[in-house]
């Protein structure tokens, strides 16, 4: 995980998307504007016009998908929109205030920014963007919708700041692990992480909430681990506990880093 980079992550996701067909058989990878190798203003326009997911001839606009790391969000000079910057792309993306406000309300955990407009947590986004040519000849890239995913500095997707701390610690410790994701995990237990450098796979759980529903799910996960004889490493972060030591690794390099 430590060797990941924006370019490598984009390549890996492109390879997955290239196996998917959507919108009556169209290849998903070809419908997305990827930040590989740097995207010029002209290249972005060409993609939007040649690979749209929808078009509106009357309005002279087309919509396309854009993927990348959101690195900046700041109000426009008029205050009527938010200007978004995606790493590796020359164009600035515009989100009208009404749309941006709804996105902030829907993704309040992910879409938080410091005073300079930089995300408080690293973010990957998949956005629906409309290419609009104004009567004055300007070309605008207008964000219609956006799905954010919080990641670590090593581009590992996480659901909370506690998970981010745990993932960074696993990477720093040289551990061999995966982070199950909701869309591709068939495991009913759905652990936060799974260690693979232990005598048998070890489930790692970061308990970050205290609601009754969450506590019930916590006890269910514990019960399933016990029934299936799956080793369980737990960190009750919500209770203020310090992160406990990790299970001993069978990986000699990881053991040396302890």
């Amino acid at each position: 995980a430590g060797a990941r980079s924006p370019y490598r992550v984009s390549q890996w996701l492109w390879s997955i998307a290239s196996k998917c067909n959507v919108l009556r058989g169209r290849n998903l990878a070809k419908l997305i504007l990827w930040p590989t190798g740097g995207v010029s203003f002209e290249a972005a326009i060409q993609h939007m016009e040649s690979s749209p997911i929808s078009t509106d001839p009357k309005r002279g606009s087309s919509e396309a998908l854009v993927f990348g790391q959101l690195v900046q969000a700041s109000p426009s000079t008029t205050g009527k929109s938010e200007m978004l910057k995606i790493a590796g792309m020359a164009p600035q993306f515009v989100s009208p205030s009404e749309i941006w406000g709804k996105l902030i309300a829907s993704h309040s955990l992910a879409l938080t920014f410091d005073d300079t407009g930089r995300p408080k947590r690293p973010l990957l986004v998949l956005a629906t963007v409309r290419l609009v040519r104004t009567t004055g000849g300007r070309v605008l890239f207008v964000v219609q919708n956006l799905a954010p995913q919080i990641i670590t500095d090593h581009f590992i997707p996480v659901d909370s700041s506690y998970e981010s701390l745990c993932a960074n610690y696993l990477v720093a410790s040289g551990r061999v692990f995966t982070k199950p994701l909701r869309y591709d995990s068939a495991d009913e237990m759905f652990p936060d992480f799974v260690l693979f450098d232990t005598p048998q796979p070890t489930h790692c759980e970061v308990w970050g909430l205290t609601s009754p529903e969450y506590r019930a799910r916590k006890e269910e996960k514990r019960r399933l681990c016990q029934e299936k004889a799956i080793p369980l490493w737990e960190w009750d972060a919500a209770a203020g506990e310090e992160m406990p030591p990790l299970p001993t690794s069978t990986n000699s390099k990881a053991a040396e880093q302890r």
Side-chain angles (χ1 to χ4, degrees), residues 56-210:
D56 187 346
K58 292 183 178 179
R59 300 176 63 179
S61 64
S62 57
E63 285 188 351
L65 297 172
V66 176
F67 171 82
Q69 184 178 4
L70 182 62
V71 294
Q72 186 80 27
S74 55
S76 66
T77 54
T78 64
K80 295 181 179 180
S81 60
E82 199 78 7
M83 306 301 294
L84 310 180
K85 178 63 179 173
I86 294 178
M89 295 192 184
Q92 274 201 318
F93 297 87
V94 183
S95 180
S97 296
E98 182 180 355
I99 293 176
W100 185 244
K102 291 179 180 178
L103 291 172
I104 292 291
S106 298
H107 306 287
S108 57
L109 177 63
L111 297 178
T112 56
F113 303 87
D114 63 21
D115 293 339
T116 68
R118 297 186 62 82
K120 291 185 177 180
R121 303 178 182 90
L123 291 174
L124 289 178
V125 297
L126 181 64
T128 304
V129 177
R130 174 173 292 168
L131 179 70
V132 178
R133 295 182 182 274
T134 69
T135 54
R138 296 179 62 199
V139 177
L140 302 177
F141 297 84
V142 183
V143 174
Q144 302 297 300
N145 206 343
L146 179 149
Q149 171 62 63
I150 300 172
I151 57 173
T152 69
D153 292 335
H154 301 284
F155 292 85
I156 298 169
V158 291
D159 295 321
S160 69
S161 57
Y162 293 134
E163 282 192 12
S164 183
L165 289 171
C166 184
N168 287 335
Y169 183 54
L170 291 172
V171 172
S173 301
R175 303 306 296 256
V176 180
F177 68 97
T178 61
K179 167 61 175 154
L181 300 176
R182 295 188 184 280
Y183 61 80
D184 66 359
S185 177
D187 190 341
E188 64 174 326
M189 299 175 70
F190 193 65
D192 292 327
F193 303 94
V194 181
L195 283 174
F196 287 98
D197 58 357
T198 46
Q200 68 182 95
T202 299
H203 284 196
C204 299
E205 293 289 359
V206 180
W207 310 121
L209 297 174
T210 58

Side-chain angles (χ1 to χ4, degrees), residues 2-64:
R4 292 183 178 187
S5 67
Y7 182 74
R8 289 188 63 182
V9 169
S10 293
Q11 280 189 316
W12 178 69
L13 291 174
W14 183 93
S15 68
I16 295 175
S18 66
K19 301 173 185 176
C20 302
N21 290 327
V22 297
L23 299 175
R24 298 180 181 178
R26 300 176 67 188
N27 187 267
L28 178 58
K30 295 180 179 180
L31 295 176
I32 299 175
L33 180 61
W34 304 89
T36 52
V39 177
S40 67
F41 194 87
E42 293 74 17
I45 294 175
Q46 182 180 8
H47 172 85
M48 300 277 294
E49 293 181 334
S50 62
S51 303
I53 57 174
S54 66
T55 58
D56 187 346
K58 292 183 178 179
R59 300 176 63 179
S61 64
S62 57
E63 285 188 351

